[in-house]
Amino acid sequence: MMAHVHERYSSLYDRLATLPVNVGSYQELSDDHKRAISGYINLCAEQFYWWRWRSLVDKKVWKVWDIAIADKLQHPAIALAWKEFHSADTYYDGFKDYVESKMKSATKQTT
């Protein structure tokens, strides 16, 4: 499973690294960036599922993933994509609340 996660993240990394910081709407993102964000959010949902519902992830590993996810969700393009598009998608139980809580925490830290 860890190799699968690493492989999927590695395939997204370069595209996520080029996400624009100043983006006004989800529609302004390139199709490639939209696919990269979708892939990343879906990967996060799977990681969440493996941790919360399947207990397949060690607590120490989850802590690292949780910090990384929270950090990446703060990127303006990802936050905007979540708000304008992905929050309406269907995910595993609890994942939307998890993402929303991470985004609220990030907002509180910046204010």
Side-chain angles (χ1 to χ4, degrees):
M1 176 183 61
M2 298 301 284
H4 170 75
V5 169
H6 179 73
E7 181 180 316
R8 287 198 41 211
Y9 184 74
S10 293
S11 73
L12 296 168
Y13 181 80
D14 289 339
R15 293 170 22 220
L16 292 172
T18 64
L19 287 172
V21 176
N22 297 317
V23 60
S25 74
Y26 178 75
Q27 297 306 320
E28 290 178 24
L29 293 168
S30 70
D31 289 343
D32 187 55
H33 282 145
K34 289 176 186 176
R35 284 190 297 274
I37 293 169
S38 291
Y40 180 72
I41 290 173
N42 289 332
L43 176 60
C44 293
E46 287 177 35
Q47 291 172 299
F48 179 83
Y49 171 77
W50 294 329
W51 167 71
R52 183 165 183 191
W53 299 111
R54 302 288 296 179
S55 300
L56 295 174
V57 178
D58 179 81
K59 289 179 183 178
K60 291 179 184 176
V61 172
W62 174 251
K63 186 174 181 176
V64 171
W65 285 359
D66 181 51
I67 291 167
I69 290 168
D71 181 61
K72 192 64 78 181
L73 288 173
Q74 292 180 40
H75 190 287
I78 294 175
L80 186 67
W82 176 263
K83 180 181 169 188
E84 291 187 15
F85 186 76
H86 291 284
S87 64
D89 289 348
T90 302
Y91 295 101
Y92 302 110
D93 286 345
F95 182 68
K96 284 185 183 182
D97 291 336
Y98 167 76
V99 171
E100 295 293 334
S101 73
K102 294 298 174 186
M103 291 193 167
K104 284 181 186 172
S105 293
T107 302
K108 287 179 185 176
Q109 290 175 4
T110 59
T111 57

